[in-house]
Amino acid sequence: MNVLIAEHAGFCFGVEKAIEKAYEEIEANVISGPVYSLGPIIHNHQVVEQLESKGLKTINEISDAEYGTVIIRSHGVPEITYKEIENRGLRLVDTTCPFVKKIQRIVSEHHAKGHRIIIIGNRTHPEVIGINGWCNDEGLVISEPHEVGNIPENDTLCVVAQTTMPIDLFKSIKNELTNRNQTIHWYNTICLATQDRQQTAHDLAGKVGAMVVIGGKHSSNTKKLAEVCRGYLPNGTYLIEKYTDLPLGLLSEEESVGITAGASTPKKAIEDTMQLLRAVSTGEKWQVAIDGPAGAGKSTIARQLADRLHFIYIDTGAMYRALTWYIINNKCDMQDVDQIIRLAHSVKIDLKEDKVYLDGKDVSEAIRSLQVTQHVSAVAGIKDVRQAMVKLQQEIAKKNHVVMDGRDIGTVVLPEASLKVFLTATVEERARRRFEELKNKTETSYDEVKEQIEARDHADETREHDPLIPANDAVQIDSTRLSIEEVVEKIILLFCDRIKQRSRK
């Protein structure tokens, strides 16, 4: 895959300065007191977590800091906040971006002259809230050209813009106001780095099949970058926070992919994304096999994994139901095993976007009927039927990226899977999970559920054909103390590492 990076992407100097200062303050104040950030230091969850692990404490109000040092982040704060910090006897470290500082000065000066302050931006963004705090919160915030009608026509205006606003929006609002017969002081305060970042993202989006925009979900400038890219690629622009968020199932079909990143995105996040995408071979099909005992969470984890990666989840239960529905609709005698086997070998089942298709017809709802439920276990118990279904599952896996779970996926169904995972947990934890699922649906006890799981484990591990054992090359994950989200993230990390390893061979 050809991977291109926009000329201007990632950390701006203001954000970089704030992070560097935060690390300096943490190191310098190990003994002398806590270091606080008033709001997340930047809009990047991973960077904030790293800083907090070093000792930085994120607060939302100055009153949350009893003593120590308070860092004002690059977004800036209202004027009154400085007084609050001083009144509480806190040490101040100001990392407000110089461009934001300039806007604050402009607003303060014009407000003192009695001019009406107009701020082009997002009224809930901390930068805009901070700017408005330098004109006694009397500024009028607009974010769309049609909102110009809310601006009084007799006032002298001072117009500024949030540093991350698209330049086209600023121009559109200026065009709307230019026709007015009133004094307007215009200040294009959009950061040059923002303009460069948006322009190079725009240029790159016109040259590639898909764009990946890396940045925090709450980052205004990152979201604006995604909007710019969608102008060229409305269905081919993907906003991610980290490389494990990549929709690999979709991107794997692209010949070329572009990367850009918001001002709060560290260099490593860009490099990790680039390395993974460059390891992807266009057209290659991947399979993830998940095996394990009852109650290990296989199905839930497999479904979420498939959703994250944009792979097909091979729902084996749904496939057996589709076959049973097919048998019933062909008016086959349920005792005629030979006829059932013939139908199993002739049926055409396909899985697409959580839908089950039989001979091209969507049967997702039909296969949940009571009649199908009554007969599916008997059909699945026929050895030759299982062999036919395994062959069909293998054919689906050859044509698609898939995630599949069961008890012999890595050993029998997909022995050449790209990644094999054997998922387990203690008997006690598996029993607890299953009991939580069942307690409101049927009368049972924890001890009964535990006994059933132990019996199922014994049967799976000692059966003559295809006993439950980890594949030799499976990665074993004990999920006893892990959440579903943590297990899914762990498997995605393993899968991404496997892709990179294979590309080096």
Side-chain angles (χ1 to χ4, degrees):
M1 179 184 292
N2 186 27
V3 182
L4 304 172
I5 300 178
E7 183 179 353
H8 298 279
F11 274 170
C12 68
F13 79 94
V15 168
E16 199 160 23
K17 171 193 166 189
I19 294 171
E20 287 176 358
K21 196 65 180 172
Y23 275 112
E24 287 176 11
E25 291 299 324
I26 293 167
E27 187 174 343
N29 288 277
V30 172
I31 299 174
S32 58
V35 179
Y36 301 96
S37 168
L38 185 55
I41 193 78
I42 63 171
H43 282 156
N44 184 287
H45 181 65
Q46 290 72 38
V47 173
V48 171
E49 275 192 344
Q50 289 172 8
L51 284 164
E52 289 180 344
S53 70
K54 300 289 185 182
L56 183 69
K57 300 178 186 295
T58 301
I59 58 174
N60 295 315
E61 304 290 341
I62 291 299
S63 58
D64 294 333
E66 296 180 4
Y67 70 101
T69 299
V70 174
I71 299 175
I72 292 178
R73 56 185 173 171
S74 58
H75 294 312
V77 294
E79 185 177 16
I80 194 172
T81 303
Y82 289 87
K83 296 176 182 176
E84 291 175 354
I85 292 172
E86 182 180 355
N87 291 340
R88 290 185 67 84
L90 300 167
R91 179 170 169 268
L92 169 66
V93 174
D94 192 354
T95 66
T96 303
C97 170
F99 289 119
V100 176
K101 278 280 193 188
K102 178 182 177 182
I103 303 172
Q104 293 172 348
R105 284 196 299 271
I106 292 170
V107 164
S108 180
E109 290 168 4
H110 280 274
H111 180 254
K113 295 176 183 178
H115 299 165
R116 168 78 70 167
I117 306 300
I118 308 299
I119 306 169
I120 302 173
N122 178 351
R123 57 180 48 84
T124 63
H125 193 278
E127 179 188 320
V128 174
I129 293 171
I131 292 168
N132 210 1
W134 287 81
C135 58
N136 201 32
D137 292 326
E138 295 174 3
L140 179 61
V141 182
I142 63 174
S143 58
E144 299 290 343
H146 69 81
E147 293 179 307
V148 166
N150 299 330
I151 300 173
E153 297 192 20
N154 298 322
D155 295 344
T156 296
L157 306 180
C158 166
V159 183
V160 296
Q162 182 180 338
T163 56
T164 55
M165 281 293 103
I167 186 64
D168 289 343
L169 176 62
F170 183 87
K171 290 177 179 177
S172 296
I173 291 174
K174 186 172 184 178
N175 289 338
E176 289 289 328
L177 278 171
T178 299
N179 297 327
R180 290 191 176 189
N181 185 24
Q182 66 186 125
T183 302
I184 304 176
H185 299 277
W186 288 99
Y187 295 94
N188 178 0
T189 52
I190 297 173
C191 173
L192 291 175
T194 296
Q195 295 182 46
D196 290 341
R197 195 178 290 108
Q198 291 177 0
Q199 185 61 52
T200 55
H202 174 274
D203 295 344
L204 182 55
K207 301 174 183 176
V208 295
M211 281 293 294
V212 173
V213 182
I214 313 169
K217 293 177 181 177
H218 302 295
S219 167
S220 174
N221 73 86
T222 301
K223 289 188 281 190
K224 295 294 188 302
L225 279 176
E227 288 176 18
V228 168
C229 294
R230 289 189 184 109
Y232 265 114
L233 299 164
N235 298 316
T237 297
Y238 306 99
L239 177 55
I240 67 170
E241 284 197 344
K242 54 191 183 304
Y243 73 98
T244 54
D245 296 332
L246 284 168
L248 291 173
L250 301 176
L251 292 171
S252 65
E253 303 303 316
E254 299 292 346
E255 294 288 342
S256 60
V257 175
I259 296 175
T260 187
S264 298
T265 305
K267 184 178 180 181
K268 188 176 187 306
I270 300 172
E271 291 174 344
D272 287 343
T273 302
M274 177 190 68
Q275 288 171 6
L276 179 58
L277 287 174
R278 285 182 174 167
V280 172
S281 298
T282 303
E284 180 183 5
K285 301 303 177 188
W286 300 307
Q287 303 88 35
V288 179
I290 301 178
D291 290 306
K298 301 184 300 295
S299 296
T300 301
I301 287 165
R303 288 179 185 276
Q304 289 197 18
L305 184 65
D307 184 61
R308 284 273 302 272
L309 293 171
H310 286 263
F311 285 14
I312 288 176
Y313 170 63
I314 296 186
D315 187 339
T316 54
M319 292 183 71
Y320 280 106
R321 281 181 168 274
L323 172 60
T324 304
W325 183 87
Y326 182 65
I327 291 167
I328 292 170
N329 277 267
N330 274 273
K331 303 189 183 308
C332 174
D333 183 349
M334 298 306 292
Q335 303 302 314
D336 190 344
V337 175
D338 290 338
Q339 177 65 359
I340 290 174
I341 292 171
R342 282 194 292 273
L343 290 173
H345 282 282
S346 65
V347 71
K348 293 181 180 178
I349 301 172
D350 203 2
L351 306 172
K352 294 178 182 177
E353 298 178 352
D354 293 330
K355 299 286 186 181
V356 184
Y357 295 86
L358 198 152
D359 292 333
K361 179 182 178 181
D362 183 356
V363 294
S364 306
E365 295 298 326
I367 64 174
R368 302 297 169 184
S369 71
L370 178 60
Q371 193 176 15
V372 169
T373 300
Q374 290 171 337
H375 294 290
V376 65
S377 292
V379 170
I382 301 171
K383 182 179 178 182
D384 286 351
V385 167
R386 289 175 62 84
Q387 290 175 345
M389 287 294 99
V390 166
K391 182 179 179 182
L392 187 53
Q393 291 155 8
Q394 291 171 335
E395 289 174 359
I396 293 172
K398 284 180 183 178
K399 300 174 185 176
N400 304 280
H401 303 299
V402 300
V403 178
M404 190 172 177
D405 68 282
R407 289 173 174 77
D408 59 0
I409 308 303
T411 53
V412 176
V413 184
L414 300 176
E416 302 301 320
S418 313
L419 175 66
K420 300 174 189 176
V421 174
F422 192 85
L423 189 64
T424 189
T426 63
V427 171
E428 291 76 15
E429 175 61 17
R430 289 187 282 130
R432 185 195 66 77
R433 293 172 183 172
R434 185 60 56 87
F435 176 66
E436 288 297 320
E437 290 177 12
L438 297 175
K439 67 180 183 181
N440 294 324
K441 300 176 183 177
T442 183
E443 289 188 13
T444 187
S445 68
Y446 168 81
D447 289 335
E448 288 175 329
V449 173
K450 183 170 178 283
E451 192 174 303
Q452 290 167 3
I453 285 181
E454 288 173 333
R456 180 67 179 272
D457 286 353
H458 178 73
D460 285 341
E461 292 165 4
T462 59
R463 68 189 178 209
E464 183 179 354
H465 299 289
D466 305 324
L468 175 63
I469 56 171
N472 291 333
D473 52 348
V475 178
Q476 298 195 42
I477 298 177
D478 185 340
S479 67
T480 302
R481 293 181 174 82
L482 299 175
S483 67
I484 290 170
E485 293 74 19
E486 287 172 330
V487 175
V488 171
E489 186 70 17
K490 194 178 185 74
I491 294 174
I492 291 178
L493 282 167
L494 287 168
F495 180 68
C496 292
D497 286 344
R498 189 63 54 88
I499 291 175
K500 289 187 280 188
Q501 288 170 12
R502 290 176 62 171
S503 72
R504 298 188 194 110
K505 292 181 180 179

